[in-house]
Amino acid sequence: MGSIFYKSLVRFILGLMIVGSLPGISTAQSSSNEGDEFYAVFPTHVPSQNRLADYSLFVTSREASSGKIQVGSYTRPFSVQANTVTEIPIPRYAAYIDESEAGQVLNRGIHITVDPGQPKIVVYGHIFAGARSAASLILPVEAMGQQYFSMNYYNFPNRDGGSNYLIVVATEPDTRIRIRKGGSDLVSGGVLLNKAGDVYELTSYNDLTGTEVVVDSTTSSCKRFALFSGHTNVLIGSCAGEPSSDPLYQQNYPVESWGSTYGFIPFSDKSSGGLNARIFGDYYRVLARENGTEVRVNGNLVGTLNSGNFYEPNQPSNVPLFITSSKPVAVAQYSLTQSCAGGGLSDPDMVILNPIEYNIKDITVYSSRRENIEEQYLNVLIKTAAAASFKINGAPPTAGFTPVAANPAYSYLKLNLNRYGTNNFNLTADDGFNAIAYGFGTFESYAYSAGTNLASIQSITAIRPNTEIELTNACTREDFNFKLILPDEAAELTWRFDENDPGVVQTNPRALPITRGDRILYQYLFPKTKVFETPGKRTIRIAAKYLDANQCNQGGQELSFDFDVYDPPVVAFEQPLATCPNTPIDFIDKTVSNGKPILGWLWDFGDGEVSTDQNPKHSFKISGDYQVKLIVDNGTGCSGDPAIRTAHIKDPPKAMFMAADGTCTSNTVTFSDQSTTPEGAITSWIWDLGDTILTRNSGEPFQHTYSQIGTYNAQLSIVNSTGCQSDLYGQQVKVFAPQLKAGGILYILKGGQKTFDITAEGNNLVYRWSPATGLDRTDIKNPTASPTEDVTYTVTITTAEGCTLSDQIVVKVLPDVIIPNTFTPNGDNVNDVWTINYLDSYPGVTVNIYNRYGMQVFSSTGYSQPWDGKKNSEQVPVGTYYYVINPRNGKNTLSGWVMVAR
């Protein structure tokens, strides 16, 4: 339980750009694209219709943060709220590198820093104007390196012209950079960048892909720098007419962040409205760092590359591919010019893909709509087994994942972001994934990595003793082992944990060689007890002297790493001291956060159940004492000591009763309580007798009479003085005393007949009538009687239980029908209809009534519904009407008159 929880704490600590484990590299350390210092550039590009593009930085963070942007003498502060995006326009005069300035050292690097003590941020750069758009993820300084290979594209002729470019940006003073292609220097003697933020742009009409850009090994071997590359305006694809063009812009990854396994997922082939678009697919390039690099696509060998060479297919691909290599490579994906793409919106763009090894689990990404981006998308590649766990803004995506045909262990998603009402997207999954965000407009496009973990040659992490959990910050008053990774063996390390710390010197420290890709790095451990007594931002400084005095300038290197130090929260919660089984209990978090908001809660209720709610409800099914534990996470890795309290679950009372079935003569049942309680006394009895519910405050026996026969599920629940209620105890009760009502006296006209309508209840009743005189049957419930004189009939019923009951009905036979000659249908409910008593005993009788003109005003067969003085729902006039009544049983027809009066 504990290890699972602390793994989840690590996810919170590393935040939205989480550090993931790398397959096959158990001890490697990686860096994310979240940081507190960055450098970006605003490169040369060809204007669109004589209009140069604008450049903006987009900053997001998992927590509210603030910082500063500086380009030369231009400075402006910024702030960003948690999980939102702040756009920071960069003035062209301060940062733009004009084509005429290529080949010059300029102090135009866009320096982004986070204010001291503020959380780390994520940065994207976007170039945009009418029909011009390009964007890149911006890497923090700690993720930069000393060696790169440029990624660019062919310089196909187009109406606006354009050229390849690469730009280097210094992060430290006096950094000398060598730029080579095919073993030859493109800049004789290299480029010396005197100040941090100095930039140098190289442009060429030739394809610069594979150009090696590396620090000078004799003067700057340990210094990091940034490389940006692309094209000032390029056409991609073969098509007729005057196809459009667009700039390419990406920050390159250092070679130690290259990988050997990539997933290529073509950009969406559907428009935002669901129509076919970009059906021809995309080009891709695979760039090698070392000689003899074998490249395979879907398992098939497509080429063996030497250093600086690349593989590109002859045609674009419109299906997902699995790209592997024998040695680390870089892979870029290219969208096509709109008229070459196969329908829909498009334009050239380049995105450098991240290897599957360097995936992410939690990232917040911004999807831009600048300048005129109409369609926004997200491509995701993830292990098929983890696809169901992928969430976007906390919910499953609106589209499903599809397995990669070449490797079904992985699945991909092309998600239309236009369906969401936001530009900010938090992406999470239980396992690592790779993602790119991209967009298309009319003759413009952009694409960039949503986020990545990047290998870092030099890094430091804190490790809790006796665990392998690595943290990028620390807690007050805790012991830590610090793990340092260096590119070479050190003869001496001096550790300083505070400005006033004189330092601890390790002479000939023990190094553990580790392998990252094909490179050997060296890992050092330093144990430190009670490292930090107070919270705040701390800078750990390490002076490394290498065994090889020529490895770094003057044989040594100064390293510094920032650590955020936090006070752990004081964990506490409230709960009832005792309660009953199956009763929801409110657990109330009372943790004191100590400055950092609590982001996660893990409750262990001691019964095998857990919860991650802040204030959960929980029911214990069985009585007893349970140790309830709460652990919290404030996103820093400092969870504090768990809070533990005992929950006492009382023994519940037990309900029970006895009840006998009814009898042949009575449906009254006596209920006798037999309940017990181990704690307190019984205070309430809640009875559900099957036809009524009642609450009693006494356990004395009582009787209940059921109004109808049947089988009833009687149930009892009791409550004791401790407030606990028992489970329901139930028992079936059968009542079967029959009931019979024959109906008293029934009148019929001589020669008539009547079907009985008696009431009888009982189980599987058997009927017997006597005498049989004038009855059509004697063994049914309601026979038809047609006696010629008065008769008293007796009916006897017998139930399935053997109970019997009898009743009588008297049939009176009347000699003649009496027909009234007047009625008053005036609505006073007195004599409103022409009632002829017992005429309904002539079932087939016909009654016809005429006015004095011989027109029929009423007619019926049978007389169950007497005439109401109306014809077709309209009242007939007052007057005399004539009737003809035919009994249709052999008796004579009757005729005469009737007066309608009102």
Side-chain angles (χ1 to χ4, degrees), residues 23 26 72 120-121 137 179 207 245 297 428 784 843 859 876 888-889:
S26 60
K120 294 182 178 182
I121 60 174
L137 177 71
I179 304 175
D207 187 351
S245 53
V297 176
T428 60
T784 298
S859 178
V876 301
R888 293 192 179 275
N889 60 0

Side-chain angles (χ1 to χ4, degrees), residues 667-715:
N667 286 339
T668 297
V669 177
T670 299
F671 291 88
S672 299
D673 176 52
Q674 304 290 314
S675 303
T676 58
T677 178
E679 296 185 31
I682 302 174
T683 58
S684 181
W685 290 257
I686 301 97
W687 294 87
D688 182 350
L689 302 179
D691 66 344
T692 189
I693 296 176
L694 54 90
T695 300
R696 295 171 58 85
N697 56 12
S698 168
E700 294 297 321
F702 67 96
Q703 293 183 333
H704 177 69
T705 300
Y706 290 91
S707 60
Q708 294 181 340
I709 64 169
T711 300
Y712 294 86
N713 291 317
Q715 295 179 313

Side-chain angles (χ1 to χ4, degrees), residues 279 288 382 619 698 800 812 857:
I279 63 173
I382 191 171
S619 300
S698 168
K812 296 284 188 178
V857 296

Side-chain angles (χ1 to χ4, degrees), residues 34-149:
E34 183 187 38
D36 52 22
E37 183 181 19
F38 306 78
Y39 281 92
V41 295
F42 189 1
T44 297
H45 61 277
V46 174
S48 172
Q49 298 177 349
N50 297 319
R51 177 191 167 187
L52 283 171
D54 295 314
Y55 185 87
S56 282
L57 295 173
F58 293 89
V59 177
T60 183
S61 177
R62 60 188 173 89
E63 299 180 72
S65 187
S66 62
K68 181 176 67 174
I69 307 292
Q70 185 168 2
V71 191
S73 60
Y74 172 80
T75 301
R76 66 166 288 177
F78 70 87
S79 62
V80 60
Q81 297 302 309
N83 295 317
T84 64
V85 171
T86 295
E87 179 180 359
I88 307 165
I90 303 300
R92 186 183 294 110
Y93 75 84
Y96 181 61
I97 304 171
D98 190 78
E99 186 175 13
S100 63
E101 296 175 308
Q104 304 177 40
V105 174
L106 309 167
N107 193 241
R108 303 273 178 85
I110 304 169
H111 192 201
I112 306 105
T113 55
V114 173
D115 290 334
Q118 291 296 302
K120 294 182 178 182
I121 60 174
V122 175
V123 181
Y124 304 93
H126 196 163
I127 303 167
F128 55 89
R132 290 286 184 266
S133 184
S136 177
L137 177 71
I138 307 300
L139 303 180
V141 169
E142 64 190 58
M144 297 178 190
Q146 288 85 25
Q147 182 186 21
Y148 300 82
F149 284 83

Side-chain angles (χ1 to χ4, degrees), residues 759-774:
T759 300
E761 291 187 9
N763 291 326
N764 297 324
L765 292 177
V766 175
Y767 298 88
R768 181 170 56 82
W769 289 86
S770 64
T773 304

Side-chain angles (χ1 to χ4, degrees), residues 637-876:
C638 301
S639 58
D641 294 329
I644 302 175
R645 298 189 65 178
T646 299
H648 175 64
I649 309 304
K650 306 171 188 176
D651 286 331
K654 184 177 181 180
M656 184 177 292
F657 65 87
M658 295 180 60
D661 292 338
T663 66
C664 285
T665 59
S666 173
N667 286 339
T668 297
V669 177
T670 299
F671 291 88
S672 299
D673 176 52
Q674 304 290 314
S675 303
T676 58
T677 178
E679 296 185 31
I682 302 174
T683 58
S684 181
W685 290 257
I686 301 97
W687 294 87
D688 182 350
L689 302 179
D691 66 344
T692 189
I693 296 176
L694 54 90
T695 300
R696 295 171 58 85
N697 56 12
S698 168
E700 294 297 321
F702 67 96
Q703 293 183 333
H704 177 69
T705 300
Y706 290 91
S707 60
Q708 294 181 340
I709 64 169
T711 300
Y712 294 86
N713 291 317
Q715 295 179 313
L716 171 63
S717 176
I718 60 173
V719 179
N720 66 16
S721 56
T722 69
C724 291
Q725 186 168 353
S726 72
D727 293 333
L728 285 172
Y729 173 80
Q731 180 179 326
Q732 285 192 338
V733 176
K734 296 180 180 180
V735 290
F736 46 82
Q739 298 183 25
L740 178 63
K741 186 173 182 180
I745 300 175
L746 181 66
Y747 294 90
I748 64 174
L749 298 173
K750 190 171 184 179
Q753 63 184 46
K754 196 74 170 180
T755 299
F756 295 152
D757 185 18
I758 71 171
T759 300
E761 291 187 9
N763 291 326
N764 297 324
L765 292 177
V766 175
Y767 298 88
R768 181 170 56 82
W769 289 86
S770 64
T773 304
L775 297 180
D776 64 339
R777 291 185 63 174
T778 62
D779 59 350
I780 63 175
K781 181 179 181 181
N782 291 307
T784 298
S786 56
T788 58
E789 58 184 2
D790 295 351
V791 180
T792 298
Y793 292 102
T794 299
V795 60
T796 300
I797 60 174
T798 303
T799 70
E801 294 83 11
C803 303
T804 61
L805 190 62
S806 299
D807 198 6
Q808 292 182 331
I809 183 172
V810 178
V811 178
K812 296 284 188 178
V813 180
L814 303 178
D816 297 306
V817 61
I818 300 174
I819 301 173
N821 58 12
T822 302
F823 73 105
T824 58
N826 55 11
D828 63 357
N829 294 323
V830 178
N831 201 26
D832 277 342
V833 295
W834 190 39
T835 301
I836 305 174
N837 290 328
Y838 316 121
L839 187 60
D840 59 349
S841 64
Y842 294 162
V845 67
T846 60
V847 179
N848 292 288
I849 302 174
Y850 304 89
N851 62 17
R852 60 182 178 174
Y853 302 110
M855 295 178 59
Q856 188 181 72
V857 296
F858 177 81
S859 178
S860 72
T861 299
Y863 201 61
S864 60
Q865 187 69 35
W867 184 38
D868 59 0
K870 293 181 182 178
K871 177 184 179 183
N872 298 330
S873 301
E874 296 290 336
Q875 291 183 345
V876 301

